[in-house]
Amino acid sequence: MADEAPFQFLHNEVIQYIYKSAETDNGRNIATLENMGYRVGQGLIERLTKDTARFKDELDVMKFVCKDFWTCVFKKQIDNLRTNHQGIYVLQDNKFRLLSQLSAGKQYLEHAPKYLAFSCGLVRGALSNLGVKSIVTAEVSIMPACKFQIMIQKM
Amino acid sequence: MTVHNLYIFDRNGSCLYYNEWNRKKQAGISKDEEFKLMYGMLFSIRSFVSKMSPLDMKEGFLSFQTSKYRLHYYETPSGLRFIMNTDLSVPNARETLQQIYSNLYVEYIVKNPVCVLGHSLDSELFSSRLDSFIRGLPFYSPRAA
């Protein structure tokens, strides 16, 4: 995880490529990006946790994602974690790395979901390999702050 | 001590960005014509300078000055051209232009997936950062000398 520029450029190109090769702009592109992130997240979490102890509970897993996982991928920690203790977690990042070069406000807001899909999948994959099945969505109102909402699915 | 205006051209001659801070007198021609005039003049002056140079040239054309203003020029290896007009108290703005390129252009335009290279720069983030950078320069002051 030495330099983030190659990853950012590659990420942007992946998104452009998927949108250019799909004729119609439907939700499939977002789903494709999310699935790619899922696979990457699964592999990444294996590498990151190979030496750590087992997690005590779900909250511990979420804290690991907010601190170590986010630091490894996005070079900073999550700014705010909220939960209702019933399976819903909201992770707020006030200066999301992949959006900070796009704009600082409302410009390009409609393009933002494309750039968050991969990261949603990343979180979902990481959680799934830690034994937590979830659905992850992201919303952004003012760039570069964004919120990831995680809904835990009880099996 | 002030910066008058800034132009950014790509290597094909299209003006990607223009902004002015302290320009008292307009050129009297439309903006498009002004950009074409600026680019054409720079193209000619660069080739003139390299032909007439009595020694081997290193950087080439750097700046010219009149009794009222100085025009600074910086060209990146990728063919991007930065032109800044300042008043006479600024001897060398090359480093400033270099900083504009690496800290602002590369950060907010090249890394911005929505901005297509070669088209005019619409990113508001870039404009606002550039504006605060220029206003923060030591040789900028809101009133012209």
Side-chain angles (χ1 to χ4, degrees):
Chain A
M1 336 291 172
D3 195 18
E4 46 185 297
F7 169 64
Q8 274 193 339
F9 282 130
L10 182 64
H11 178 245
N12 295 340
E13 264 319 296
V14 166
I15 294 176
Q16 304 275 42
Y17 173 73
I18 289 190
Y19 272 83
K20 228 186 293 194
S21 46
E23 281 92 32
T24 59
D25 183 28
N26 46 20
R28 291 200 55 197
N29 298 334
I30 304 266
T32 315
L33 283 166
E34 217 249 350
N35 286 327
M36 288 170 87
Y38 182 77
R39 271 302 289 121
V40 174
Q42 281 187 319
L44 201 56
I45 204 78
E46 287 275 10
R47 287 193 70 172
L48 285 180
T49 55
K50 67 180 162 79
D51 291 321
T52 37
R54 230 182 297 184
F55 294 107
K56 290 196 305 275
D57 60 7
E58 208 174 81
L59 189 58
D60 230 24
V61 171
M62 299 311 287
K63 285 202 251 184
F64 179 81
V65 165
C66 293
K67 293 207 192 114
D68 302 302
F69 184 74
W70 221 258
T71 313
C72 172
V73 183
F74 301 114
K75 305 282 180 307
K76 67 182 280 288
Q77 294 188 358
I78 283 280
D79 296 305
N80 196 348
L81 168 66
R82 289 202 299 275
T83 174
N84 67 357
H85 293 290
Q86 265 147 32
I88 307 244
Y89 295 85
V90 178
L91 274 61
Q92 179 153 349
D93 190 337
N94 291 332
K95 197 171 185 294
F96 192 57
R97 254 318 193 295
L98 300 175
L99 291 179
S100 59
Q101 270 97 13
L102 259 183
S103 100
K106 303 268 186 190
Q107 198 192 20
Y108 302 134
L109 198 59
E110 64 277 4
H111 295 280
K114 290 192 242 177
Y115 296 93
L116 294 170
F118 184 85
S119 313
C120 286
L122 208 64
V123 175
R124 187 165 70 92
L127 288 174
S128 110
N129 243 12
L130 289 173
V132 177
K133 198 159 169 315
S134 59
I135 295 188
V136 182
T137 53
E139 68 175 58
V140 55
S141 49
I142 304 236
M143 308 229 241
C146 66
K147 284 196 213 159
F148 290 89
Q149 189 179 47
I150 304 182
M151 280 178 281
I152 309 287
Q153 319 256 278
K154 299 273 179 253
M155 311 233 217
Chain B
M1 302 253 281
T2 182
V3 175
H4 295 291
N5 52 13
L6 176 78
Y7 301 75
I8 304 184
F9 288 95
D10 72 354
R11 77 168 80 102
N12 301 323
S14 28
C15 184
L16 300 178
Y17 185 80
Y18 169 73
N19 202 359
E20 59 189 35
W21 285 269
N22 250 327
R23 186 177 183 170
K24 298 272 168 63
K25 169 178 129 23
Q26 295 298 323
I29 49 179
S30 79
K31 274 282 173 271
D32 275 337
E33 284 182 19
E34 183 181 315
F35 297 149
K36 278 199 272 204
L37 184 65
M38 173 68 83
Y39 185 79
M41 181 279 289
L42 282 170
F43 189 81
S44 317
I45 225 180
R46 284 180 61 236
S47 97
F48 173 83
V49 158
S50 76
K51 284 202 177 67
M52 290 306 196
S53 166
L55 308 163
D56 276 331
M57 232 175 43
K58 245 177 71 172
E59 301 284 353
F61 175 62
L62 293 178
S63 68
F64 75 68
Q65 80 183 59
T66 74
S67 48
K68 288 284 181 202
Y69 71 95
R70 187 176 276 136
L71 177 142
H72 304 264
Y73 174 80
Y74 173 63
E75 182 173 346
T76 72
S78 53
L80 217 59
R81 297 164 157 98
F82 290 81
I83 292 123
M84 175 151 62
N85 287 327
T86 68
D87 72 346
L88 293 174
S89 60
V90 186
N92 188 356
R94 200 173 168 75
E95 244 188 54
T96 310
L97 290 174
Q98 231 159 0
Q99 280 179 344
I100 293 181
Y101 173 62
S102 56
N103 298 342
L104 294 174
Y105 182 83
V106 169
E107 278 299 316
Y108 297 113
I109 302 288
V110 177
K111 287 195 180 172
N112 185 342
V114 184
C115 283
V116 185
L117 300 183
H119 285 120
S120 70
L121 313 177
D122 306 319
S123 165
E124 285 163 11
L125 185 58
F126 174 72
S127 298
S128 63
R129 289 290 155 95
L130 181 64
D131 195 58
S132 33
F133 177 79
I134 296 273
R135 285 179 203 274
L137 284 173
F139 50 78
Y140 177 85
S141 78
R143 300 151 140 305

